[in-house]
Amino acid sequence: MPKRKGITVSRQIMDSQQTHPEATGELTGLLSELIVAAKIISAEVNMAGLAGILGQSGKTNVQGEEVQKLDDFANRTLKRRMEQCGYVCIMGSEEDDGVIPVLDGYEGKYTLAFDPLDGSSNIDVNVSIGTIFSVHRRKSEGKQGEMSDLLQKGSEQVAAGYIIYGSSTVLVYTTGHGDGVHGFTLDPSVGEFFLSHPDITIPEKAKYYSVNEAYSRYWHDDTTAYIDKLKDMDEQGERSYSLRYIGSLVADFHRNLIQGGVFLYPRDKKSTDKPDGKLRLLYEAAPLAMIAEEAGGMAITDDGRRILDIEPKDLHQRVALVIGSRDEVALAEEYFKKG
Ligand code: P6P
């Protein structure tokens, strides 16, 4: 089905459903409800400065991080909308310790894991932030879903995506199976997402590398060797890459997806702090890995394992992440598999 710029995301989702005769429309319904939540969050993020909800809520989340008011708002918006959409049987959120049930009688056949507002430390300084989501098909029987329905490998995802709230609000998602990765830009004047980036493919060769160099003294040796390789001059004595690190995963990932880049959040040698890295598998690394691979890129850990093959053990499990352009992640794999 040709994707024409300017069609709405609802039309794109419906067209995509048509290509799957077995589709029942429930995934379409789930994504449509998610998009309504995204529009509500976008409006609030864009008004944050005026709506007096910048700053911290005074609460801390399961990660022990200060919960920003907008974090809270995004989390509540997603939970309220999706608990009664009828397509989801259980949810997991970065902001909630345990699983989130849906309203009795509204149980559906999918699960939803999300980071409601990633990059929240940047909220007060007007840096792009984002919502990341991951959808699986439930495996358990019965009414309410179970933890095991959430703890599925990334390769089992039926849909994944993110919404980046930046100079414009852009939704990027994939339903896999070669259906591609598509980007939609919100026109706030009509409250619709219009197709702006059809069939996104990540450039095979990176233009940027993204890593927090402040932690370089804690890196494992093969990480240091890999980053040094990226910083080597090429045969003509030219610098090959620029360093871009925004400190907002969705913003760094989105730039690399569109322009070509490799993002790393490796483990620390300082085992007390981030022995498995900082980022979360279920609602950060796995959904972005599905997008990266569907767009022709790669996503691995810093010991060479494919992100989508990792069997989750815990809702908030951390994982090291190396994700982006195929050439540079494949090079990283050579360095990390040796380890
Ligand atoms: P650091 C934001 O808090 C976040 O979770 C990601 O969005 C971002 O990539 C990372 O942390 C930045 O972490 O340790 O470099 O500040």
Side-chain angles (χ1 to χ4, degrees):
M1 180 71 64
K3 296 168 187 66
R4 302 174 309 284
K5 279 193 176 184
I7 64 166
T8 62
V9 62
S10 314
R11 174 62 195 278
Q12 167 59 34
I13 294 173
M14 289 302 292
D15 286 352
S16 172
Q17 179 190 317
Q18 302 306 327
T19 62
H20 297 284
E22 74 286 1
T24 62
E26 288 177 84
L27 181 60
T28 297
L30 187 160
L31 292 173
S32 302
E33 287 295 329
L34 208 49
I35 287 161
V36 174
K39 291 176 183 177
I40 295 167
I41 295 167
S42 176
E44 207 65 22
V45 166
N46 292 332
M47 286 289 289
L50 304 172
I53 61 173
L54 286 181
Q56 296 173 357
S57 64
K59 291 187 271 182
T60 55
N61 65 15
V62 63
Q63 331 292 342
E65 296 161 345
E66 274 294 332
V67 176
Q68 302 280 358
K69 290 175 186 171
L70 266 176
D71 266 353
D72 239 357
F73 176 84
N75 196 37
R76 276 184 286 110
T77 300
L78 282 159
K79 290 196 292 186
R80 286 208 183 118
R81 177 148 296 278
M82 302 312 289
E83 69 183 2
Q84 57 186 322
C85 71
Y87 304 114
V88 173
C89 63
I90 193 167
M91 293 184 276
S93 166
E94 181 184 50
E95 298 298 337
D96 286 60
D97 300 21
V99 297
I100 302 155
V102 299
L103 293 191
D104 198 27
Y106 287 84
E107 300 84 358
K109 71 180 188 183
Y110 293 107
T111 72
L112 179 66
F114 53 86
D115 184 350
L117 211 55
D118 177 78
S120 49
S121 51
N122 295 297
I123 287 176
D124 292 353
V125 292
N126 220 26
V127 166
S128 299
I129 49 184
T131 299
I132 311 172
F133 63 88
S134 167
V135 182
H136 281 91
R137 193 171 283 103
R138 77 177 298 171
K139 292 198 179 305
S140 67
E141 302 296 324
K143 291 185 65 161
Q144 288 286 341
E146 297 166 9
M147 176 69 88
S148 60
D149 292 311
L150 285 165
L151 300 182
Q152 297 185 56
K153 288 194 292 188
S155 56
E156 304 289 313
Q157 291 174 103
V158 295
Y162 60 87
I163 300 96
I164 180 169
Y165 311 102
S167 50
S168 58
T169 294
V170 177
L171 160 71
V172 175
Y173 86 94
T174 183
T175 53
H177 308 299
D179 285 351
V181 175
H182 312 296
F184 301 81
T185 299
L186 180 64
D187 176 343
S189 67
V190 296
E192 259 303 347
F193 279 100
F194 292 98
L195 183 62
S196 51
H197 302 74
D199 295 310
I200 301 173
T201 53
I202 187 167
E204 278 202 13
K205 174 139 187 53
K207 189 173 172 185
Y208 302 111
Y209 75 96
S210 311
V211 68
N212 189 335
E213 295 252 10
Y215 305 146
S216 56
R217 62 185 179 288
Y218 303 130
W219 291 343
H220 288 271
D221 295 346
D222 47 9
T223 301
T224 302
Y226 172 65
I227 298 295
D228 286 347
K229 176 66 182 167
L230 294 184
K231 291 157 84 168
D232 269 350
M233 292 298 177
D234 63 17
E235 296 70 40
Q236 288 72 41
E238 294 295 315
R239 180 173 45 79
S240 304
Y241 304 93
S242 285
L243 170 63
R244 289 283 187 282
Y245 191 76
I246 301 171
S248 182
L249 173 62
V250 177
D252 278 315
F253 178 82
H254 186 68
R255 181 205 51 249
N256 290 349
L257 178 73
I258 303 298
Q259 298 187 339
V262 56
F263 171 95
L264 297 92
Y265 206 109
R267 286 167 294 156
D268 268 1
K269 268 192 291 198
K270 239 184 6 131
S271 59
T272 52
D273 193 354
K274 291 171 267 185
D276 299 316
K278 174 182 184 183
L279 303 177
R280 309 295 171 175
L281 174 60
L282 275 186
Y283 40 78
E284 290 177 337
L288 295 185
M290 181 180 187
I291 290 174
E293 289 200 3
E294 188 70 18
M298 286 176 70
I300 62 173
T301 59
D302 65 357
D303 55 5
R305 290 171 293 144
R306 179 180 177 234
I307 291 288
L308 295 182
D309 289 340
I310 299 175
E311 196 80 49
K313 298 283 182 290
D314 175 79
L315 196 55
H316 302 294
Q317 174 174 340
R318 296 178 191 269
V319 69
L321 180 62
V322 183
I323 188 168
S325 293
R326 177 165 292 277
D327 285 4
E328 282 71 23
V329 180
L331 176 65
E333 198 174 32
E334 289 171 30
Y335 277 78
F336 297 147
K337 278 206 159 153
K338 277 196 308 235

